[in-house]
């Protein structure tokens, strides 16, 4: 499909990427697609070029999500803008390719709550906006909305959050997709989800309030090591918004065969040409959370088997998972498919003589 696509990967000083891997979480947490994509492209011999003069696109591998807070353990991205700007200064000083196109053919990963707006809170993210120095480039980002939003007002490819394919494989070895599913509805509900005034627009708080005593709903206050095994036992998995509309539970649910119930108004979902979301998931409006029980009972009594048949297609799971060595149809493959459609941004091709 895209055999003539050529991508040059900048070799940056290790302070921009490799040094961060000293913390093992860097390559395994929900924002780790920035690491996974870099690794997959390094191993993609058919598409990687070592000659920047024959490249269509340029990948800038900067890991901005691996600075974990000593207070709460979450990734902190306050340094993201300065680290990325520094990387651009480096490639500008050492290569001619950024200046000739002003970054038009350069690719960055922004796997954070609101993409390259680099903040978990939407109002702050909007105020910050996307840095001016990234506005011409292509962003691979997890944030997507089906309406105009300042944090996606840039050329972008929507990607899934990172879930370890190894963890999925190990879980499915113990509990196959088509095994017994004795939990009707599953959702982990962290304490902050219960008491938080702003988090999840109170959707998770409402789920807990309405359904904590409902025997159909298996709600937990804390996530534990074997929680993926419970996903394989569940029929429906709730995927409400968090700070941003997307959640890693969406990918875990699909990969482990639990019908995702998406509760995030206006969310745009990744790889819609490869994953027919309307055929494998349910969407419930945030205002309809109070009717969840009725909605899910109705689906269970009508078209659940059809949804599960579509969901359990191995190609669906493959499309949402990143592998160190790219596989046909996996998440990196889907990204390259999208990038191939953007070859009009290739400076080299725009200067090639017409045939």
């Amino acid at each position: 499909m895209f055999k003539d696509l050529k991508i040059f990967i900048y070799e940056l000083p290790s302070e921009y990427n490799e040094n961060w891997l000293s913390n093992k979480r860097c390559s395994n947490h929900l924002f780790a697609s920035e690491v996974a994509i870099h690794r997959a492209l390094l191993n993609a011999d058919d598409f990687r070029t070592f000659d920047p003069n024959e490249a269509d696109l340029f990948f800038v591998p900067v890991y901005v999500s691996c600075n974990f807070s000593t207070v709460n353990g979450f990734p902190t991205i306050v340094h993201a803008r300065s680290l990325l700007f520094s990387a651009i200064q480096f490639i500008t000083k050492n290569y001619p390719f950024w200046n000739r196109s002003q970054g038009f053919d350069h690719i960055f990963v922004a796997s954070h709550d609101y993409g390259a707006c680099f903040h978990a809170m939407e109002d702050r993210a909007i105020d910050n906006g996307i840095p001016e120095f990234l506005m011409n480039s292509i962003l691979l980002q997890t944030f997507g909305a089906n309406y105009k939003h300042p944090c996606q007002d840039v050329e972008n490819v929507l990607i899934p959050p990172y879930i370890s394919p190894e963890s999925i494989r190990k879980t499915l070895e113990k509990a196959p997709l088509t095994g017994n599913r004795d939990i009707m509805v599953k959702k982990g509900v962290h304490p902050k989800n219960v008491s938080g005034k702003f988090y999840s627009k109170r959707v998770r708080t409402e789920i807990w309030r309405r359904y904590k005593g409902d025997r159909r709903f298996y709600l937990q206050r804390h996530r534990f090591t074997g929680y993926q095994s419970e996903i394989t036992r569940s029929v429906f998995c709730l995927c409400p918004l968090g700070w941003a509309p997307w959640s890693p539970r969406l990918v875990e649910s699909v990969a482990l065969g639990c019908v995702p119930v998406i509760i995030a108004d206006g969310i745009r979902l990744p790889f819609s040409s490869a994953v027919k979301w309307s055929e494998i998931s349910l969407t419930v409006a945030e205002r309809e959370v109070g009717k969840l029980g009725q909605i899910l009972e109705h689906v269970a009594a009508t078209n659940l088997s059809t949804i599960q048949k579509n969901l359990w297609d191995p190609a669906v799971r493959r499309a949402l998972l990143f592998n160190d060595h790219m596989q046909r149809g996996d998440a990196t493959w889907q990204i390259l498919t999208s990038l191939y459609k953007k070859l009009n941004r290739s400076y080299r091709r725009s200067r090639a003589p017409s045939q």
Side-chain angles (χ1 to χ4, degrees):
M1 284 177 58
F2 36 79
K3 61 183 180 181
D4 57 338
L5 171 65
K6 294 297 180 183
I7 298 177
F8 178 77
I9 305 170
Y10 284 110
E11 292 188 17
L12 301 179
S14 59
E15 65 200 65
Y16 294 102
N17 40 59
E18 292 298 318
N19 285 0
W20 294 102
L21 295 175
S22 59
N23 186 327
K24 292 184 178 180
R25 286 185 62 199
C26 182
S27 59
N28 282 295
H29 69 122
L30 76 165
F31 297 154
S33 56
E34 62 186 9
V35 180
I37 294 168
H38 184 201
R39 287 176 172 174
L41 292 179
L42 286 173
N43 293 320
D45 295 337
D46 291 342
F47 313 107
R48 182 185 181 187
T49 178
F50 290 90
D51 179 0
N53 292 296
E54 69 173 23
D56 297 304
L57 300 170
F58 296 78
F59 183 75
V60 187
V62 183
Y63 304 166
V64 303
S65 304
C66 296
N67 185 17
F68 297 99
S69 168
T70 56
V71 177
N72 56 27
F74 298 141
T76 174
I77 51 176
V78 293
H79 67 303
R81 293 168 186 263
S82 59
L83 191 64
L84 284 163
F85 185 68
S86 174
I88 292 173
Q89 287 181 313
F90 175 86
I91 62 178
T92 300
K93 179 180 178 181
N94 292 280
Y95 301 88
F97 308 107
W98 176 274
N99 283 341
R100 74 180 185 181
S101 71
Q102 295 302 302
F104 196 69
D105 50 4
H106 283 56
I107 306 165
F108 297 83
V109 181
S111 54
H112 322 100
D113 295 87
Y114 287 95
C117 285
F118 298 122
H119 204 285
M121 304 287 285
E122 185 173 19
D123 56 344
R124 294 283 299 278
I126 291 174
D127 287 344
N128 291 344
I130 298 171
E132 188 66 29
F133 56 80
L134 291 180
M135 289 299 292
N136 289 336
S137 299
I138 303 170
L139 300 186
L140 311 181
Q141 61 180 54
T142 43
F143 172 68
N146 58 19
Y147 52 89
K148 186 174 177 58
H149 194 288
C151 297
Q152 64 179 9
D153 191 18
V154 64
E155 190 72 23
N156 68 81
V157 174
L158 189 60
I159 64 173
Y162 181 81
I163 294 295
S164 165
E166 182 65 13
S167 71
I168 297 296
R169 183 186 64 78
K170 288 181 178 179
T171 300
L172 291 178
E173 284 177 353
K174 300 175 183 177
L177 287 179
T178 55
N180 181 43
R181 293 183 179 267
D182 58 344
I183 299 173
M184 182 177 175
V185 188
K186 174 173 172 54
K187 178 68 189 111
V189 186
H190 190 277
K192 73 174 182 180
N193 303 342
V194 178
S195 59
K197 181 179 180 181
F198 304 106
Y199 185 70
S200 190
K201 298 182 180 178
R202 297 188 62 85
V203 168
R204 299 188 186 206
T205 307
E206 189 66 10
I207 290 171
W208 176 262
R209 189 181 71 82
R210 285 180 175 270
Y211 300 109
K212 62 183 178 181
D214 191 320
R215 297 178 64 181
R216 299 169 298 178
F217 287 73
Y218 184 62
L219 306 178
Q220 290 181 298
R221 294 291 294 271
H222 298 279
R223 192 172 77 175
F224 65 100
T225 304
Y227 76 99
Q228 284 191 350
S229 64
E230 293 189 342
I231 295 178
T232 64
R233 292 173 49 200
S234 303
V235 177
F236 300 104
C237 288
L238 303 186
C239 302
L241 70 164
W243 291 117
W246 62 271
S247 163
R249 298 295 85 78
L250 181 62
V251 174
E252 278 185 316
S253 300
V254 172
L256 296 172
C258 180
V259 178
V261 181
I262 302 166
I263 311 170
D265 294 353
I267 188 173
R268 185 164 58 97
L269 298 167
F271 306 151
S272 57
S273 60
V275 180
K276 307 302 180 186
W277 289 100
S278 62
E279 298 177 5
I280 67 164
S281 65
L282 304 175
T283 299
V284 175
E286 294 167 20
R287 67 177 182 279
E288 298 292 317
V289 164
K291 300 177 182 178
L292 264 177
Q294 302 166 241
I295 293 170
L296 300 183
E297 289 280 9
H298 174 74
V299 173
T302 53
N303 62 332
L304 175 61
S305 60
T306 300
I307 295 172
Q308 287 178 325
K309 180 181 177 181
N310 296 331
L311 177 63
W312 294 345
D313 181 347
V316 174
R317 178 171 67 255
R318 188 181 309 121
L320 298 177
L321 296 176
F322 294 96
N323 298 287
D324 285 352
H325 292 267
M326 184 179 70
Q327 299 175 13
R328 185 181 182 90
D330 75 0
T332 305
W333 178 279
Q334 304 301 334
I335 289 171
L336 291 181
T337 301
S338 298
L339 292 175
Y340 191 73
K341 298 174 182 177
K342 300 182 186 296
L343 285 183
N344 62 312
R345 300 178 73 87
S346 168
Y347 180 91
R348 180 182 68 83
R349 291 181 185 242
S350 70
R351 294 300 185 270
S354 58
Q355 300 296 320

